[in-house]
Amino acid sequence: MVTRSTIMDTNSFREEHAAALDADTRKLTDKRAQLLGESYRLFYRNPVHLVKGQGQYLWDAAGNKYLDVYNNVASIGHCHPAVIEAVNAQMQMLNTHTRYLHENILDYSEALLATAPAEIDRAMYMCTGSEANDLAIRIARSFSGGTGIIVSQEAYHGTSDLTSGCSPALGSGQALPATTRLVPAPDQYRVATDDLGEWFAKQIQQQIDDMNAKGIKFAGFLADSIFSSDGVMPNPVGYLQKAVDVVHANGGIFIADEVQPGFARTGDSFWGFGRHGVVPDIITTGKPMGNGIPVSGLLAKSHVLAAFSDHIPYFNTFGGNPVAMAAAQAVLKVIQEEQLQAHSKKVGAQLQAELSKLMDRHPRIGDVRGAGLFIGFELVTDRDTKQPDKALALNLIEELRNTHRVLTSVAGPYGNVLKLRPPLAFQASDIDWLVGALDQSLSKLGA
């Protein structure tokens, strides 16, 4: 039996699509198949050969310009000059590891910790979000004395042994250990309840109770505060507080995975969890932190971190290196000086309003929801039944890519939610391109 992954395989090129490719694209896909491991995936039935990026735009090898509505790796925009300058300058001086003294890591840590709640007062650095979440799980287990980790049903938290074991989004081929427990996502669109926070807290308590019954001690709850892989679940504001209260009442810690909702993305707060008024015990981050330079971080309450760090040394050769820290500092400075959090809130609200207007013309748009420049665009076969329409979603992203040169992808357990998450360089002037492309594509697809 062939196993499928919701996060990797849903919007992907497969060999069955090869016959439709032009000769140059086919040559590249064939060469990849000969040289690279088979676990890799390409986006789109007709893969995009990108050669240049600037801000919110990308160009392919033929010179075609695309609007990037998916990429949070280049969070402040592709090839941002401030990051290029910072990295180039530091590379010409020194790049080494954290076992030597250097100002960059200290200056950046002061600046980054200043964005977090006061209780969060320690920083550590790695290269990827997977490494940050891996360390966070280890700390949670040291602090609690337990092993049980709770995540949402479609969560993605990384590719290491520990984090892939907490990433059901990787699909049926990835076995989850008995110490990983899943809770349904807090989906305001589909869950019938008057108090989503209370409902979600009960789901967590049920899993903790079941762990206890089976001799597994609870260690922590690991969550992306906008539940992006579950289909983008931003509202109602504040619903996470009751869940975090349950976690603490049971001796566990809350790890806020901010790889996707952090760094001004949601507009309401620098960190995604800030919208809910909660204070995590650990914050993890990755991709948007360096705008394309591999760097990630873990911020923690000192007494929580001490349970691990007082007993176990930690060293990551490239984590926190001067070049990575220079890139991260440049990103943070741009976010603050260009007021990108306020920009994300304003432009995101304008975009969401225009997307919602499409519902009047296209009955198969079931829901439009989001926070800042992070929007879920859900497609259904019928609004009354809310039956997910995965086929339409996949055809829509292909039409957007081929005809309108708009790049995005899908999320959620049914693969029917377009995840609209452009670089923060996205402007109000780009809204017409995106909304017009969606409008025309849905009309062409009869939706």
Side-chain angles (χ1 to χ4, degrees):
M1 184 182 75
V2 176
T3 58
R4 290 296 182 197
S5 154
T6 54
I7 197 170
M8 293 290 286
D9 282 311
T10 305
N11 170 28
S12 65
F13 167 78
R14 293 189 287 276
E15 185 57 33
E16 65 203 63
H17 304 137
L21 301 180
D22 64 76
D24 288 341
T25 304
R26 179 66 184 269
K27 182 179 179 180
L28 286 175
T29 60
D30 286 350
K31 193 169 185 178
R32 278 177 61 103
Q34 294 166 8
L35 297 174
L36 302 183
E38 294 179 350
S39 293
Y40 284 117
R41 300 291 187 272
L42 284 162
F43 276 138
Y44 299 107
R45 299 165 192 163
N46 178 13
V48 189
H49 179 191
L50 297 174
V51 297
K52 177 185 173 183
Q54 183 176 348
Q56 63 276 42
Y57 306 121
L58 293 161
W59 285 262
D60 67 17
N64 297 308
K65 182 181 179 180
Y66 294 79
L67 177 62
D68 186 353
V69 193
Y70 187 70
N71 204 320
N72 78 324
V73 177
S75 59
I76 59 174
H78 295 278
C79 299
H80 196 289
V83 179
I84 293 171
E85 181 181 352
V87 168
N88 182 46
Q90 186 59 52
M91 279 293 289
Q92 293 185 60
M93 295 176 63
L94 174 74
N95 198 29
T96 185
H97 51 69
T98 55
R99 296 188 73 178
Y100 300 111
L101 290 171
H102 201 276
E103 293 86 356
N104 281 10
I105 192 171
L106 303 177
D107 293 343
Y108 180 67
S109 295
E110 283 185 330
L112 186 62
L113 286 167
T115 69
E119 298 93 327
I120 305 288
D121 59 354
R122 292 290 187 274
M124 297 186 73
Y125 298 100
M126 309 84 205
C127 303
T128 67
S130 296
E131 290 176 304
N133 283 327
D134 188 283
L135 180 58
I137 292 169
R138 294 175 68 189
I139 294 168
R141 289 176 169 173
S142 293
F143 179 80
S144 66
T147 57
I149 302 293
I150 294 176
V151 297
S152 58
Q153 284 183 339
E154 198 63 21
Y156 172 72
H157 295 295
T159 58
S160 70
D161 185 48
L162 281 181
T163 57
S164 63
C166 293
S167 297
L170 289 173
S172 56
Q174 172 63 55
L176 302 180
T179 52
T180 296
R181 295 305 178 88
L182 310 183
V183 290
D187 187 347
Q188 188 181 38
Y189 179 59
R190 295 181 179 277
V191 175
T193 178
D194 293 329
D195 189 336
L196 190 65
E198 184 69 25
W199 175 88
F200 192 51
K202 287 181 179 178
Q203 307 305 310
I204 291 175
Q205 186 63 62
Q206 287 173 8
Q207 291 303 318
I208 295 172
D209 291 343
D210 190 63
M211 283 185 194
N212 290 335
K214 293 178 170 59
I216 299 170
K217 187 175 182 181
F218 174 56
F221 171 48
L222 170 59
D224 154 7
S225 58
I226 204 166
F227 295 88
S228 48
S229 296
D230 291 279
V232 187
M233 313 294 174
N235 297 312
V237 171
Y239 75 78
L240 267 183
Q241 182 64 66
K242 291 181 180 179
V244 174
D245 290 345
V246 165
V247 168
H248 288 154
N250 285 273
I253 68 168
F254 171 45
I255 304 165
D257 180 343
E258 291 286 314
V259 171
Q260 298 200 54
F263 285 85
R265 168 64 55 182
T266 64
D268 293 324
S269 173
F270 185 87
W271 301 104
F273 63 78
R275 301 178 68 247
H276 297 288
V278 300
V279 177
D281 300 288
I282 294 175
I283 303 168
T284 59
T285 188
K287 288 177 282 194
M289 189 172 170
N291 211 61
I293 296 297
V295 57
S296 65
L298 179 150
L299 307 181
K301 296 176 179 177
S302 55
H303 75 281
V304 172
L305 182 58
F308 174 86
S309 59
D310 283 358
H311 306 284
I312 303 175
Y314 180 83
F315 176 63
N316 185 308
T317 302
F318 294 109
N321 71 75
V323 170
M325 293 291 93
Q329 183 73 284
V331 170
L332 185 57
K333 187 176 181 181
V334 167
I335 289 173
Q336 293 171 338
E337 291 186 350
E338 297 184 8
Q339 300 181 337
L340 292 185
Q341 182 180 321
H343 169 82
S344 182
K345 183 172 184 175
K346 179 181 178 181
V347 177
Q350 293 172 341
L351 174 58
Q352 190 170 338
E354 292 301 314
L355 291 170
S356 295
K357 291 178 183 177
L358 293 179
M359 296 180 74
D360 294 335
R361 296 195 295 279
H362 300 288
R364 288 163 73 182
I365 302 173
D367 192 33
V368 178
R369 54 184 179 263
L373 286 171
F374 207 144
I375 296 172
F377 189 83
E378 180 151 1
L379 298 164
V380 295
T381 59
D382 181 271
R383 283 185 187 164
D384 292 331
T385 65
K386 300 181 180 179
Q387 179 67 30
D389 199 333
K390 178 179 178 178
L392 174 60
L394 294 179
N395 288 333
L396 178 57
I397 60 174
E398 296 291 340
E399 179 64 19
L400 289 171
R401 173 259 184 272
N402 291 323
T403 302
H404 301 282
R405 300 197 176 101
V406 172
L407 303 179
T408 190
S409 192
V410 293
Y414 314 108
N416 69 314
V417 180
L418 269 63
K419 184 160 67 172
L420 307 178
R421 184 195 53 183
L424 299 182
F426 185 93
Q427 300 295 320
S429 56
D430 297 310
I431 291 175
D432 285 348
W433 185 350
L434 172 57
V435 175
L438 282 164
D439 189 12
Q440 294 174 49
S441 297
L442 286 166
S443 293
K444 181 176 179 179
L445 294 169

